[in-house]
Amino acid sequence: MPKPFRSNPCKILDQIAAKPPYFFYGNVATASADTWEKISQFLYGIEPEFVDAQFFSALRRREGYIHNLPTENRSHVLPKSPIALEDLMPSTKKWWPSWDARKKMSCRNFDSRGSSQLCDMLGRMLDDSRGLLSAEQQRDLLRHCQALNLMWVGPNKLTPMEPAHLEKALGYPLNHTLIADYPLTERMYSLRYSFQTDTLGYHLSVLKSIFPQGITVLSLFSGIGGAEITLHRLGIHLKGVVSVETSETNRRVLKRWWCSTGQTGRLEQIEDIRKLTSSAIERLVEKFGCFDFVICQNSFTQPSNIPRVGPGVESQQYFDFTLFNEFVRVLQRVRSAIERKRQPEVS
């Protein structure tokens, strides 16, 4: 495979960073260089590893990871997710005009508010011109398509990206987030900031040989279960998962997937990371017999008081260092608890 990203090759970790358990911090939203520098300082000075999801999927998105996993002998998740838009929506390929050569969807905006009206307006323009647009009109229409991820679904007919398309691009089961009382905007927002499971799977694939009998996971800010689904796609048995997620709807999504896929391990869901006090962590370590792997999704938030934005304008996200510091606190407490648990075994 070509080198599409700056790798973090088999670095020699210091003794503290290399202590169990393995940990993985993933950020799939835009973060500044200064933010990454601060994140790295809190995670034992490990340099981030950057990757573009377009080399694993139909989604163009830059992601960053900091972890203490081995970097040799990685492998791809099989079967692979669609790598191009024409693979994502093969039945609509015949409707795409030759001048729209998009192969990837953009991660800049999945907000469909107002997009339907725009699609209707563009459709009328296409009908009036009988599909024969000037070069300037083609460029203007393509700009809208790229900004809003508009898809061709019929002759001269465009439609906004649907959740099912994004689920497929991210490597999730069909209708994974289709659940009662889950508004479309929130559903798209949750998908937008979820792991792309093929990209994540390439980096987590080393765990399969390390834990051939299965793995026990502490999943922080689990979202819709990207880490759990990735490990399942890799064929790694989930012996036990403690999932921390604030959204009640996202917890329902993960619970439904867990039951529908016949997982035989134990799933425990916690709604607030602040409930993971030192004593609570001690109890969980005792209950689950240590954690093999701690994973955290990016802790970006979109405060409710941010004004709504129009179509094509990217919503503003904030890196919440308070939540990130909670991840660091929990990771340190877990490491201490595991070390204390293993001391009698060593002696």
Side-chain angles (χ1 to χ4, degrees):
M1 188 182 71
K3 295 287 186 183
F5 49 83
R6 190 189 85 185
S7 72
N8 193 8
C10 196
K11 54 204 177 292
I12 299 176
L13 299 174
D14 63 38
Q15 190 174 4
I16 296 177
K19 288 196 310 181
Y22 288 110
F23 69 85
F24 191 99
Y25 171 78
N27 190 313
V28 301
T30 303
S32 67
D34 289 340
T35 297
W36 274 112
E37 184 177 356
K38 292 177 183 177
I39 293 172
S40 177
Q41 289 173 356
F42 278 100
L43 294 176
Y44 313 104
I46 300 174
E47 291 187 5
E49 180 174 3
F50 297 108
V51 57
D52 197 322
Q54 69 173 319
F55 293 96
F56 299 86
S57 69
L59 175 67
R60 182 182 293 110
R61 182 176 69 183
R62 185 173 183 264
E63 305 182 1
Y65 307 135
I66 291 181
H67 59 87
N68 65 345
L69 292 170
T71 56
E72 303 89 353
N73 302 317
R74 289 169 168 173
S75 59
H76 290 271
V77 176
L78 296 176
K80 296 180 181 179
S81 295
I83 201 72
L85 288 177
E86 60 185 27
D87 303 320
L88 188 67
M89 305 172 63
S91 62
T92 66
K93 184 178 179 180
K94 58 186 175 182
W95 305 120
W96 285 64
S98 58
W99 46 265
D100 187 348
R102 287 176 294 156
K103 296 296 183 184
K104 308 287 181 179
M105 70 174 69
S106 167
C107 71
R108 288 183 298 172
N109 184 41
F110 292 117
D111 188 348
S112 60
R113 288 171 296 191
S115 299
S116 297
Q117 292 89 334
L118 176 63
C119 288
D120 291 341
M121 182 191 74
L122 295 174
R124 289 192 295 271
M125 180 187 71
L126 287 162
D127 287 336
D128 293 342
S129 65
R130 297 182 180 179
L132 301 175
L133 303 178
S134 67
E136 183 179 354
Q137 287 175 316
Q138 290 176 4
R139 286 193 298 270
D140 185 57
L141 195 152
L142 188 56
R143 179 176 57 82
H144 287 298
C145 290
Q146 291 170 332
L148 289 168
N149 289 306
L150 302 181
M151 301 295 159
W152 298 94
V153 293
N156 299 333
K157 183 175 178 60
L158 287 161
T159 186
M161 171 71 66
E162 296 180 0
H165 300 146
L166 188 51
E167 287 170 343
K168 191 174 181 180
L170 291 169
Y172 290 81
L174 179 64
N175 292 326
H176 178 66
T177 57
L178 182 59
I179 196 167
D181 304 321
Y182 205 177
L184 176 62
T185 52
E186 292 183 22
R187 188 180 172 191
M188 293 296 283
Y189 183 83
S190 293
L191 283 164
R192 179 183 179 182
Y193 292 105
S194 296
F195 283 124
Q196 202 291 321
T197 59
D198 297 80
T199 312
L200 179 64
Y202 180 71
H203 295 78
L204 300 191
S205 59
V206 296
L207 292 169
K208 188 170 184 177
S209 60
I210 299 173
F211 301 104
Q213 303 303 316
I215 193 170
T216 303
V217 181
L218 175 57
S219 177
L220 305 175
F221 308 116
S222 301
I224 57 174
E228 293 80 356
I229 291 172
T230 299
L231 293 168
H232 177 68
R233 290 189 65 198
L234 285 166
I236 300 175
H237 172 53
L238 297 170
K239 294 194 300 182
V241 172
V242 174
S243 168
V244 181
E245 169 57 37
T246 57
S247 167
E248 189 271 338
T249 306
N250 286 345
R251 293 198 301 273
R252 286 164 55 200
V253 168
L254 176 58
K255 180 70 173 180
R256 184 181 66 177
W257 171 85
W258 186 273
C259 296
S260 66
T261 54
Q263 300 295 324
T264 57
R266 174 186 295 175
L267 173 65
E268 182 164 332
Q269 294 181 290
I270 300 172
E271 69 274 12
D272 191 343
I273 194 171
R274 291 173 296 183
K275 290 188 175 182
L276 291 181
T277 60
S278 295
S279 58
I281 290 171
E282 293 278 359
R283 289 194 298 272
L284 288 171
V285 167
E286 188 66 30
K287 180 178 180 180
F288 284 83
C290 291
F291 289 107
D292 303 311
F293 184 49
V294 179
I295 185 167
C296 176
Q297 292 196 51
N298 54 287
S299 48
F300 268 80
T301 57
Q302 184 181 30
S304 58
N305 59 351
I306 292 180
R308 289 178 176 264
V309 295
V313 180
E314 185 174 5
S315 302
Q316 186 177 7
Q317 275 69 46
Y318 295 86
F319 185 82
D320 194 330
F321 265 107
T322 302
L323 295 179
F324 173 74
N325 289 336
E326 285 294 298
F327 158 62
V328 175
R329 174 187 67 82
V330 170
L331 176 62
Q332 292 174 346
R333 297 295 184 273
V334 168
R335 294 188 134 196
S336 298
I338 291 176
E339 190 172 6
R340 284 192 295 272
K341 182 178 177 60
R342 291 184 174 181
Q343 278 177 350
E345 300 175 4
V346 174
S347 59

